[in-house]
Amino acid sequence: MALGEQIEIDVRTRMIAGQELDMAARQPDVGNVIVHRAGDLLVLVDSGVTSVIRDAIRSAADDLAPWSKILLLTTHGHPDHVGNNDIITDLGKGLDKSNVHHFVSAHDASQYHDHGLPYWTTSLDRVSGLVPGFEDPSAATRRLLAMFQPYVPITDITRTYEELPLEHLAIGSQHMSGWSFGDGAVQVIRTHGHCAGQVVVHLPEARLLHLSDEPNGPCGAMHDANQMNIFAALAQALTLVETDAVDIVTEGHAFEVFDRPTAAERLSTLLDQAAALDGAAQALLSGGIDDLPAFVDAFVARSQALGVSGANPNPMFNTMMTIAKLRELGLVAKGKGPQQTWSRPVLDDSMGAPSSSVE
Ligand SMILES: [Fe+2]
């Protein structure tokens, strides 16, 4: 699919296709955008990045008219999802301000400080000296982020989901927490797996669950990813699909729309891969790691043999995923770069019960 191409999910719902990352070609990855009309409310889920996506959002908004309220929901703060967030003010021109809203999780607010540089430097620092071209994390971050234009994540109307009262949401047989909008026409579910503030979006009228970047892979790469939350989000989505509570599943970086059978297959594969990936790491560990570059190569080869690709299967993300897996296993790093070693936590006598009672 070409960048900006629109897939009609139903007469009031479109997916605008993003694209894959190609660092050599200086091509940013772009997350898919969902545009949906519920009554007089136009809902945008993410705004992607690049002017091509901006034009596509505008065209979809025109096609889905009439609407008199607009709501932009950011699934998480990464630049491939938030670049065009100021389109909300363009589309909202002529509307009363009380009818134009943008929400993002408070947990992703730190990503916006200083144009995202500290957040991404923290993640890229983990691969410093392990991936060619990433010796200087700060310079690598600047190079990476420069690909994402425009980058306007916050506007003067942006608010956080966490300012709203948290709701108990029930979808089919599943219970979750989050926030609803438009008298229940949109449900935002907090999942917090792919990164600290990640949410997924349910559009009941379209029977659509947009998982954004939770299914990017069975092991999250970012420093603020939570592997257990990723697994839980995918497992809950699978249950929703298996119990016919949703009919359609979309993702941030799969440029297709999944029906129930294909979504079920994809989600169960991801859950199986999460377990298999753990087994692969365990099999390669002999107590600890003295040669991290060799471990990364071996682990990435095993993960590829398992069919794990991730949204962007390049050396940077593969190495970040390996480090994230080691941390999930509770291993502890010592040192920096290729010389760093990893070991299991020391379980010694001092951790047990005191030999005499402590007064
Ligand atoms: Fe993404």
Side-chain angles (χ1 to χ4, degrees), residues 344-358:
R344 298 268 189 201
V346 176
L347 306 175
D348 63 21
D349 289 350
S350 69
M351 291 177 161
S355 51
S356 58
S357 62
V358 177

Side-chain angles (χ1 to χ4, degrees), residues 120-130 134-135 137-138 141 336-337 340:
W120 285 90
T121 303
T122 302
S123 260
L124 297 191
D125 186 52
R126 289 182 164 194
V127 302
S128 172
L130 297 169
F134 288 80
E135 292 75 15
S138 171
T141 299
K336 294 272 291 176
Q340 65 189 283

Side-chain angles (χ1 to χ4, degrees), residues 35-261:
V35 187
H36 171 72
R37 183 171 65 80
D40 59 356
L41 174 68
L42 186 76
V43 182
L44 305 180
V45 181
D46 287 337
S47 69
V49 66
T50 72
S51 56
V52 174
I53 292 291
R54 194 180 188 90
D55 293 346
I57 293 172
R58 195 183 305 274
S59 138
D62 287 346
D63 291 349
L64 296 180
W67 41 266
S68 56
K69 300 175 183 171
I70 182 161
L71 170 67
L72 168 61
L73 301 168
T74 292
T75 62
H76 64 295
H78 291 165
D80 50 319
H81 296 257
V82 302
N84 292 308
N85 278 359
D86 60 322
I87 197 168
I88 189 81
T89 37
D90 280 2
L91 292 173
K93 268 185 195 137
L95 298 180
D96 189 277
K97 277 199 165 175
S98 64
N99 291 328
V100 184
H101 295 283
H102 172 216
F103 288 91
V104 63
S105 171
H107 297 283
D108 282 2
S110 66
Q111 293 188 26
Y112 304 131
H113 294 155
D114 205 6
H115 308 288
L117 291 171
Y119 175 86
W120 285 90
T121 303
T122 302
S123 260
L124 297 191
D125 186 52
R126 289 182 164 194
V127 302
S128 172
L130 297 169
V131 181
F134 288 80
E135 292 75 15
D136 178 346
S138 171
T141 299
R142 283 174 197 281
R143 265 201 319 278
L144 181 75
L145 292 181
M147 294 193 295
F148 294 85
Q149 298 296 335
Y151 177 64
V152 189
I154 300 288
T155 74
D156 58 356
I157 65 158
T158 303
R159 311 302 322 158
T160 63
Y161 295 117
E162 288 79 4
E163 292 174 41
L164 306 172
L166 189 69
E167 296 174 44
H168 168 194
L169 304 174
I171 305 175
S173 63
Q174 294 295 293
H175 297 267
M176 45 203 90
S177 62
W179 304 273
S180 61
F181 300 86
D183 294 325
V186 188
Q187 292 172 315
V188 170
I189 303 154
R190 55 179 191 167
T191 49
H192 296 191
H194 173 68
C195 64
Q198 176 78 56
V199 299
V200 311
V201 177
H202 178 228
L203 301 173
E205 288 170 21
R207 295 186 57 79
L208 166 70
L209 186 66
H210 181 66
L211 291 172
S212 182
D213 283 11
E214 293 295 17
N216 275 9
C219 177
M222 299 301 299
H223 69 276
D224 61 340
N226 181 309
Q227 310 306 338
M228 199 207 76
N229 287 350
I230 291 174
F231 193 97
L234 300 180
Q236 193 159 52
L238 178 57
T239 303
L240 290 173
V241 168
E242 287 177 337
T243 56
D244 299 351
V246 298
D247 288 340
I248 294 161
V249 173
T250 51
E251 303 184 5
H253 295 277
F255 309 114
E256 62 185 296
V257 172
F258 297 98
D259 61 11
R260 276 208 310 273

Side-chain angles (χ1 to χ4, degrees), residues 215 217-219 227 230-232 234-236 238 242 263-281 299 302-303 305-309 325 328:
C219 177
Q227 310 306 338
I230 291 174
F231 193 97
L234 300 180
Q236 193 159 52
L238 178 57
E242 287 177 337
E265 189 184 343
R266 175 157 172 78
L267 291 165
S268 41
T269 298
L270 281 163
L271 295 177
D272 288 345
Q273 285 176 341
L277 207 52
D278 192 274
F299 182 70
R302 293 244 184 154
S303 70
L306 292 168
V308 172
S309 66
K325 185 68 220 174
E328 185 188 5

